[in-house]
Amino acid sequence: MVPDTPDEKRKESFVRLSLRFVLPLLLILAAIAYAVAPMVEQFTWRWSVRDLDMRSTVIANAIEEPLAKELSSGSREDVTTFLSHISQDERFYAVGYCASSTSKLLATPSVPAAIRCSTLERWNDPDKHILATPQGPLHVAVRPVVSEKNPDGQLVLVQDMSFISRRSDEARRYLFYFFLGLATVVSLITVVIAHLSWRGWVAGTQSLLQSVGLLRAPLDAPPATVEIKAPTPEFRPIARDLQRLIRDLEAERRARDESQLTWNPETLRAILHGELRGEDVIVVSNREPYIHQRRGERIEVQRPASGLVTALEPVMRACSGVWIATGSGSADREVVDAKDRVAVPPERPTYQLRRVWLTAEEEAGYYYGFANEGMWPLCHIAHVRPTFRSDDWAHYVAANRKFAAAVVSEAKTANPIVLVQDYHFALLPRMIHDALPEATVITFWHIPWPNPESFAICPWAEDILNGLLGSSILGFHTQFHCNNFVDTVDRLIEARVDRESFTVLHGGKLTAVRRYPISIAWPPSEEMVSKPVADCYRDVRASNGLPPTQAIGIGVDRLDYTKGIVERLLAVERLLDLNPQWIGRFTFVQIAAPSRSSIDEYRNHEATVRALAERVNGRFPGTAPPILLKIEHHEPQQVYEYYRAAELCFVSSLHDGMNLVAKEYVAARDDERGVLVLSQFTGASRELPEALVVNPYNVDQCAAALHVALTMPAAEQQDRMRLMRGLIAEFNVYRWAGRMLLDAALMRRRSKLQENAAASVPAA
Ligand code: G6P
């Protein structure tokens, strides 16, 4: 019968446990008894023989006198009768008397034939006084019975020894009972002690394993028994070590799993289906991945110049789901359905783009105002003073609310995975958490995070931190920015910061702060690199009216003051000053996508850049200008053509979270040629040390790097390019997203476990 109730189960395990202890114990005791039995028999035998010897002496002494009388007065028959009287004792087998060694034995009829007066000597030997007969052994004792008439008289006492075997049988029986009793008592004591200590050990081990999360309390157990207890004091050091070990193993396993995977769209899809059971992913960003623009009768689809879009678009293609973003194109409203959705990419739709509409005032306050005049310069520290207006802040709050409502309406379940992007949505994580407490919110901050002193100048610093700490995971490109964030939290608000696990507990929510260096799709899509390098080389020069062998440098940015475009153009000028052999032979092509142009700072910046390019070109007149400024939107495919045509790419950001242009240039160069000159203030410089890393504020150093790049031997270009391509191939954007999603999956599993445990603990 299978035990059903916990009581029956406990009884059954007790019986099993007892048998496990008792059986071996009984076996051991039986073996001891078996070894001891012959010893007991020997002892009983010796003891009995000694007994018979003594008895013989006592009897001989007792009858000495009466026997002497009988011998002196009585006939042979009288003596024999006397002896027969004595032998009536049941132990006596026969009694005899020899007057001398030559006389005839006077004895009871049963005396064995082997006993004769002439051979009495031999029975005196204490070792030889046992006579073996077919009836059994007999004890023969010869004792002197001296009288005047017979000075050599000897009394012969023959005793039956069968009682000895009876006695040893009895002794054996007692011994058996003794050992049986002993075995039972010892077994019982052992079982009780073992059971008590076993239960204690099991309970200790259970609490230890539960405390480190390796064991879950049984869900069917009565509530009172499932409380997760802290391990007992003696188990605590082991619990701590075990926790540390599990953390290390988890990190190691993740790193191993991660590095063993080939990261591509299929891997990402597999993670969503396997680890996250195919749950829908919602992405929220301000900038939309596809912008529908009206051009007369036609609607044109544009892809914005945005690192964020470059990174997330391939991820969304892999994951499907919904991307929520601000509708910004002139034909955006025309193409959406009743729920403001349009399926994208237009050529082969795989996910939904949900557009959120902002009024002109909202856009001015939230996007241009607070996000780009406040947060952007605040976080970049590019020497542009941040501007904070309360009206902008109010719009920022309202816009975040609008997006929170869109997330709630798009969520198909109570616990979606929401990927919140960037500084436009610092308040959104907390709003989502409030509305959908079970959602897993992963926020990625694409721009740098400044030090606490710089951040503290924001009048709404606390609100922003509180908003961000509604996230389950908060990601930055570099560890430096993670540290800055945690320092800022520590300095500005009441929160529990754990620097070992890099988590922050605030407002009842635990946020893990993690480094996820963003990257690009690898391998780059076929259409980007299908045009041969030689064709790109030729066409780019021809279409720009440059000589066919002109050396070209390329810069690709949004026209933004953080990108160091001014510093870059000054470096080109310095190169020509220091190395005049490049005059007329080198042209730097700066592609600059117009950006945020209604902000004064950006308009001024554009003017500065234009003026600078004009001035430098004026200084070095000729058939080929040193600077070609192309302030207009370029589609990714055109940009790749420039990358493949240029001898060098110059990324001179004054401060940049990552900078994907650097990685794109490397990805575009499947011919393993070209040199990357890279600002030390970009996140990318931490990953691509094979670039020529420069300080953009140091114009001489930058000019020297340009010269080194232009004269670098092909073999060295190849070596550097290969290493950089290897890194990007290994750490591509699928891995970036995959790592976040894997961490989210782990977090969800953990919290489910805790919820289960908490649900089974009775309310106080
Ligand atoms: C940076 C920001 C992105 C932004 C992009 C383009 O990379 O981190 O969030 O989308 O610039 O800027 P824009 O203002 O045109 O969206």
Side-chain angles (χ1 to χ4, degrees):
M1 207 177 72
V2 181
D4 289 331
T5 64
D7 244 18
E8 282 172 3
K9 281 183 191 160
R10 225 169 294 135
K11 262 183 227 151
E12 196 202 65
S13 82
F14 180 77
V15 169
R16 240 184 291 129
L17 186 73
S18 307
L19 286 178
R20 229 176 284 152
F21 276 106
V22 170
L23 280 181
L25 203 75
L26 284 180
L27 281 175
I28 291 169
L29 287 174
I32 294 173
Y34 184 76
V36 163
M39 279 160 51
V40 170
E41 210 163 308
Q42 222 175 358
F43 170 75
T44 316
W45 177 265
R46 280 211 203 115
W47 170 39
S48 303
V49 169
R50 229 182 10 252
D51 206 10
L52 289 174
D53 282 345
M54 270 163 52
R55 192 165 180 255
S56 302
T57 310
V58 169
I59 290 173
N61 290 341
I63 66 169
E64 194 171 9
E65 232 173 277
L67 181 61
K69 260 190 212 154
E70 286 295 331
L71 286 170
S72 58
S73 60
S75 62
R76 279 178 74 89
E77 284 72 32
D78 291 340
V79 174
T80 313
T81 313
F82 178 76
L83 294 176
S84 297
H85 274 302
I86 299 168
S87 71
Q88 269 164 12
D89 183 292
E90 61 166 325
R91 286 221 195 136
F92 275 115
Y93 186 81
V95 181
Y97 176 77
C98 285
S100 69
S101 57
T102 52
S103 56
K104 194 165 181 304
L105 177 70
L106 290 175
T108 53
S110 52
V111 71
I115 301 174
R116 287 190 305 277
C117 291
S118 55
T119 58
L120 281 190
E121 272 308 298
R122 73 171 266 219
W123 306 110
N124 277 330
D125 184 342
D127 293 331
K128 293 183 183 159
H129 54 193
I130 309 295
L131 174 65
T133 70
Q135 292 79 34
L138 297 173
H139 179 270
V140 183
V142 179
R143 296 285 181 274
V145 178
V146 184
S147 67
E148 275 177 37
K149 197 172 160 197
N150 300 308
D152 297 327
Q154 306 254 46
L155 182 67
V156 182
L157 296 165
V158 181
Q159 294 181 72
D160 183 6
M161 293 181 88
S162 61
F163 82 96
I164 300 180
S165 47
R166 278 200 306 279
R167 193 183 264 184
S168 68
D169 281 351
E170 219 166 293
R172 254 204 307 264
R173 211 168 32 249
Y174 284 133
L175 191 74
F176 172 75
Y177 290 139
F178 169 74
F179 272 106
L180 192 69
L182 185 71
T184 314
V185 171
V186 173
S187 310
L188 280 177
I189 293 172
T190 313
V191 164
V192 170
I193 292 173
H195 193 68
L196 289 178
S197 56
W198 172 256
R199 274 172 56 171
W201 193 84
V202 168
T205 311
Q206 273 176 346
S207 65
L208 165 75
L209 294 179
Q210 282 171 1
S211 76
V212 300
L214 276 181
L215 186 71
R216 210 171 86 168
L219 294 176
D220 59 343
T225 64
V226 299
E227 188 185 348
I228 296 177
K229 296 188 198 91
T232 45
E234 60 272 25
F235 278 98
R236 254 171 236 156
I238 308 178
R240 266 198 303 273
D241 288 350
L242 218 53
Q243 268 165 341
R244 207 167 302 140
L245 182 72
I246 289 167
R247 261 208 304 271
D248 291 353
L249 282 177
E250 263 174 13
E252 203 180 286
R253 193 203 64 154
R254 213 192 55 196
R256 205 177 41 238
D257 289 355
E258 251 184 66
S259 59
Q260 278 169 5
L261 284 176
T262 307
W263 285 95
N264 54 34
E266 281 67 49
T267 322
L268 261 188
R269 263 192 290 270
I271 287 174
L272 280 180
H273 285 109
E275 299 279 336
L276 293 159
R277 291 196 200 83
E279 278 156 307
D280 264 333
V281 174
I282 303 173
V283 166
V284 189
S285 76
N286 174 66
R287 184 59 62 196
E288 54 181 348
Y290 294 94
I291 306 171
H292 290 88
Q293 300 285 21
R294 176 148 292 284
R295 302 263 184 259
E297 287 300 290
R298 279 185 317 113
I299 292 180
E300 207 175 75
V301 182
Q302 219 179 54
R303 295 178 64 184
S306 151
L308 179 155
V309 170
T310 309
L312 274 175
E313 220 275 324
V315 174
M316 276 312 273
R317 283 183 193 227
C319 301
S320 306
V322 185
W323 186 328
I324 303 174
T326 312
S328 58
S330 51
D332 271 1
R333 283 180 193 265
E334 295 175 46
V335 295
V336 294
D337 63 13
K339 289 184 172 161
D340 296 323
R341 288 162 148 219
V342 55
V344 288
E347 63 283 3
R348 195 152 56 95
T350 53
Y351 66 93
Q352 295 289 327
L353 170 58
R354 156 81 189 267
R355 285 174 169 145
V356 171
W357 314 111
L358 297 178
T359 63
E361 296 82 60
E362 275 173 338
E363 192 187 24
Y366 141 80
Y367 172 74
Y368 289 109
F370 192 76
N372 285 314
E373 284 193 279
M375 295 299 282
W376 181 267
L378 175 74
C379 290
H380 276 89
I381 318 182
H383 314 292
V384 169
R385 191 182 160 139
T387 306
F388 297 111
R389 307 179 193 95
S390 8
D391 277 1
D392 291 349
W393 171 249
H395 283 303
Y396 187 82
V397 176
N400 272 248
R401 279 217 188 96
K402 228 176 200 179
F403 276 85
V407 169
V408 173
S409 78
E410 291 296 337
K412 294 195 185 83
T413 58
N415 60 346
I417 294 172
V418 189
L419 300 171
V420 174
Q421 306 301 312
D422 234 351
Y423 61 98
H424 310 90
F425 297 119
L427 307 178
L428 189 54
R430 179 69 63 183
M431 291 174 179
I432 297 173
H433 178 66
D434 290 346
L436 300 167
E438 288 170 45
T440 303
V441 182
I442 309 175
T443 304
F444 194 79
W445 198 258
H446 289 256
I447 63 174
W449 189 275
N451 57 52
E453 292 75 21
S454 302
F455 191 79
I457 67 168
C458 174
W460 299 281
E462 286 183 27
D463 305 69
I464 287 168
L465 293 175
N466 177 49
L468 284 172
L469 290 172
S471 317
S472 312
I473 300 176
L474 175 58
F476 296 92
H477 295 296
T478 66
Q479 191 56 44
F480 182 63
H481 296 147
C482 293
N483 297 348
N484 275 352
F485 177 79
V486 169
D487 289 347
T488 309
V489 168
D490 221 2
R491 192 79 65 84
L492 301 188
I493 59 172
E494 286 278 338
R496 215 165 75 202
V497 171
D498 182 339
R499 285 177 192 268
E500 204 190 334
S501 60
F502 245 75
T503 52
V504 178
L505 183 65
H506 176 70
K509 172 86 185 147
L510 190 74
T511 304
V513 182
R514 296 276 179 276
R515 164 186 171 260
Y516 301 103
I518 206 167
S519 196
I520 55 169
W522 187 281
S525 75
E526 187 51 38
E527 53 187 2
M528 297 294 172
V529 288
S530 56
K531 188 166 174 176
V533 169
D535 295 357
C536 297
Y537 187 95
R538 187 194 55 227
D539 292 355
V540 160
R541 282 158 183 80
S543 63
N544 286 291
L546 298 172
T549 56
Q550 185 76 348
I552 285 184
I554 179 80
V556 180
D557 308 83
R558 282 181 306 99
L559 194 42
D560 191 299
Y561 53 84
T562 63
K563 300 294 178 185
I565 299 172
V566 168
E567 288 69 13
R568 199 176 305 172
L569 302 188
L570 289 174
V572 172
E573 181 184 29
R574 191 83 178 127
L575 168 77
L576 301 184
D577 280 335
L578 296 175
N579 302 89
Q581 72 266 34
W582 293 114
I583 298 172
R585 291 181 53 218
F586 173 66
T587 296
F588 190 83
V589 181
Q590 176 62 52
I591 292 177
S595 180
R596 308 171 190 169
S597 3
S598 43
I599 297 174
D600 284 350
E601 199 65 48
Y602 282 78
R603 277 205 302 270
N604 296 342
H605 180 246
E606 182 177 338
T608 309
V609 170
R610 281 187 191 279
L612 179 59
E614 221 170 282
R615 183 178 68 71
V616 175
N617 285 345
R619 275 194 62 203
F620 305 98
T623 45
I627 292 168
L628 248 179
L629 194 57
K630 300 170 85 66
I631 301 186
E632 59 193 315
H633 178 80
H634 285 68
E635 283 299 307
Q637 222 163 322
Q638 295 172 285
V639 173
Y640 266 69
E641 197 171 330
Y642 275 96
Y643 287 146
R644 285 161 79 76
E647 274 85 352
L648 67 89
C649 175
F650 191 7
V651 174
S652 55
S653 307
L654 304 180
H655 205 177
D656 219 330
M658 174 54 71
N659 193 292
L660 292 181
V661 167
K663 291 188 175 179
E664 280 178 355
Y665 178 66
V666 173
R669 299 315 300 253
D670 52 7
D671 60 337
E672 297 177 339
R673 289 288 192 285
V675 181
L676 175 64
V677 182
L678 181 59
S679 159
Q680 69 187 71
F681 305 120
T682 59
S685 69
R686 320 274 158 118
E687 290 184 88
L688 304 172
E690 295 77 22
L692 298 180
V693 177
V694 295
N695 173 358
Y697 293 96
N698 185 339
V699 68
D700 287 336
Q701 187 196 37
C702 291
L706 290 176
H707 180 68
V708 169
L710 287 169
T711 53
M712 187 180 285
E716 187 180 341
Q717 291 181 32
Q718 190 175 45
D719 287 348
R720 289 173 183 264
M721 238 343 143
R722 257 189 206 164
L723 283 168
M724 293 192 285
R725 287 175 66 79
L727 181 120
I728 300 171
E730 204 181 326
F731 294 91
N732 60 20
V733 74
Y734 304 109
R735 190 165 179 176
W736 170 75
R739 279 184 56 200
M740 283 194 283
L741 292 173
L742 279 176
D743 284 351
L746 187 75
M747 201 169 253
R748 281 159 87 95
R749 274 207 300 276
R750 277 209 184 121
S751 67
K752 212 165 268 172
L753 208 85
Q754 276 161 8
E755 274 163 28
N756 283 342
S760 15
V761 176

